[in-house]
Amino acid sequence: MKIIECPRDAMQGLPDFIPTPLKLQYLQQLLAVGFDTIDFGSFVSPTAIPQLRDTAEVLAGLDLSNTRSKLLAIVANTRGATDAARFEQITYLGFPLSISETFQRRNTNKTIKEALQTIEEIREICGKSNKTLVTYISMGFGNPYGDPYDTAWVVEFVELLIARGVSIISLADTVGVADAGSVRTLFQSLVQEYPAIELGAHLHATPATAVAKIAAAFEAGCKRFDGAIRGYGGCPMANDDLVGNLPTETIFSYLQTQGVLFDLDRHAFERSLKLADEIFPKH
């Protein structure tokens, strides 16, 4: 079971800039917990995501000598991938591919066809720089724009990604529209049909729906969960209102009731929870 902690997603939509030293303090604390991966920053235009304009500076300040966690950075184009690939500390490059044409344009300023070509280019960059591409299928459970949606398209997109050599695919409920039933159905079909793919859940949810979505994905065979401490965050490119991430502490709590064991530093996790409460605005 892999837990990916996503402070990048928690921070990116905040209007007030979190000072670089505070970001460093928080990320350094998260590195002590023992997460499989930390989605720590992004190499995108600072005009689009000003909160993360200091990602390279943050990366330079991190001490990775005593952590087993790997780092993931989000990119939106080949320029960003090229920039991120220069840093040997980064293991994964993440790219959002949307089923919604509207959101693909809003999020990366590309058509879906152009985004698929970009994925091929980023895969090539990853191959030359010893990185692994993680692709998110954004709006994987529907969208708020009235764009057509069908679960068969999700399967088609998975096959398009497999054909391009992508081996880690995360289904994203970008604006929290999925219910537990749709999560279970989609994960069951994909896990059974594509057992060689590492299939992840990047689900946005309200506190009232989080546990049901986690349970649905887990029961359907998902073994990779994205979360953010306290459920902070959301996608500022998707809608006017941010729908929070799955709270990491809720993911842990549920999976432990199912007998899943984690080799984590509990004290470091508790300190991370307290630090998050100091850094993030109450909402």
Side-chain angles (χ1 to χ4, degrees):
M1 184 67 64
K2 294 183 178 180
I3 304 297
I4 289 74
E5 176 63 23
C6 302
R8 182 271 314 169
D9 207 350
M11 294 179 182
Q12 66 181 359
L14 297 178
D16 297 326
F17 185 73
I18 299 174
T20 302
L22 198 53
K23 286 194 182 88
L24 271 169
Q25 181 186 3
Y26 186 53
L27 288 168
Q28 201 65 59
Q29 182 60 54
L30 293 175
L31 286 167
V33 175
F35 295 108
D36 180 86
T37 303
I38 296 178
D39 177 352
F40 83 103
S42 65
F43 288 81
V44 300
S45 167
T47 302
I49 307 291
Q51 182 64 249
L52 300 176
R53 62 180 183 266
D54 59 348
T55 290
E57 185 180 353
V58 166
L59 183 58
L62 289 176
D63 179 3
L64 302 174
S65 60
N66 293 307
T67 184
R68 64 173 180 265
S69 297
K70 299 173 284 291
L71 296 181
L72 181 151
I74 296 295
V75 300
N77 50 39
T78 52
R79 178 203 57 76
T82 299
D83 290 345
R86 296 192 180 104
F87 295 91
E88 64 179 28
Q89 305 100 308
I90 296 174
T91 300
Y92 300 108
L93 302 187
F95 181 84
L97 174 68
S98 179
I99 288 179
S100 161
E101 192 77 57
T102 300
F103 184 61
Q104 191 70 62
R105 291 181 180 276
R106 289 182 63 156
N107 201 30
T108 65
N109 197 31
K110 300 180 188 302
T111 64
I112 292 174
K113 182 178 179 180
E114 290 168 339
L116 287 167
Q117 177 59 40
T118 298
I119 286 171
E120 294 183 12
E121 295 166 358
I122 294 175
R123 270 275 297 144
E124 185 175 347
I125 292 168
C126 286
K128 292 178 179 178
S129 57
N130 196 31
K131 312 294 182 198
T132 299
L133 174 61
V134 177
T135 302
Y136 301 85
I137 297 184
S138 302
M139 300 294 172
F141 296 86
N143 64 83
Y145 314 117
D147 289 351
Y149 172 81
D150 192 294
T151 55
W153 294 356
V154 181
V155 176
E156 182 179 339
F157 272 59
V158 168
E159 292 177 345
L160 288 170
L161 291 172
I162 292 173
R164 286 162 172 78
V166 178
S167 60
I168 305 176
I169 301 171
S170 196
L171 300 183
D173 183 17
T174 315
V175 289
V177 298
D179 58 24
S182 60
V183 170
R184 181 178 290 104
T185 298
L186 192 50
F187 271 95
Q188 276 180 338
S189 62
L190 291 173
V191 168
Q192 292 173 6
E193 187 69 22
Y194 307 101
I197 294 299
E198 184 174 322
L199 195 66
H202 185 99
L203 306 177
H204 291 189
T206 65
T209 62
V211 172
K213 291 185 182 184
I214 296 165
F218 174 75
E219 291 166 3
C222 179
K223 296 181 179 179
R224 177 188 175 98
F225 284 88
D226 287 13
I229 282 176
R230 302 297 194 205
Y232 291 122
C235 181
M237 310 302 288
N239 217 340
D240 293 333
D241 297 321
L242 296 181
V243 179
N245 288 281
L246 293 179
T248 308
E249 60 274 19
T250 303
I251 297 173
F252 280 143
S253 178
Y254 172 79
L255 293 178
Q256 285 175 327
T257 68
Q258 303 304 304
V260 179
L261 301 177
F262 294 99
D263 182 18
L264 299 176
D265 186 323
R266 302 293 174 177
H267 295 296
F269 186 59
E270 290 298 324
R271 289 193 292 270
S272 298
L273 288 168
K274 292 178 181 178
L275 188 54
D277 289 338
E278 298 173 12
I279 292 174
F280 293 95
K282 302 297 187 294
H283 59 81

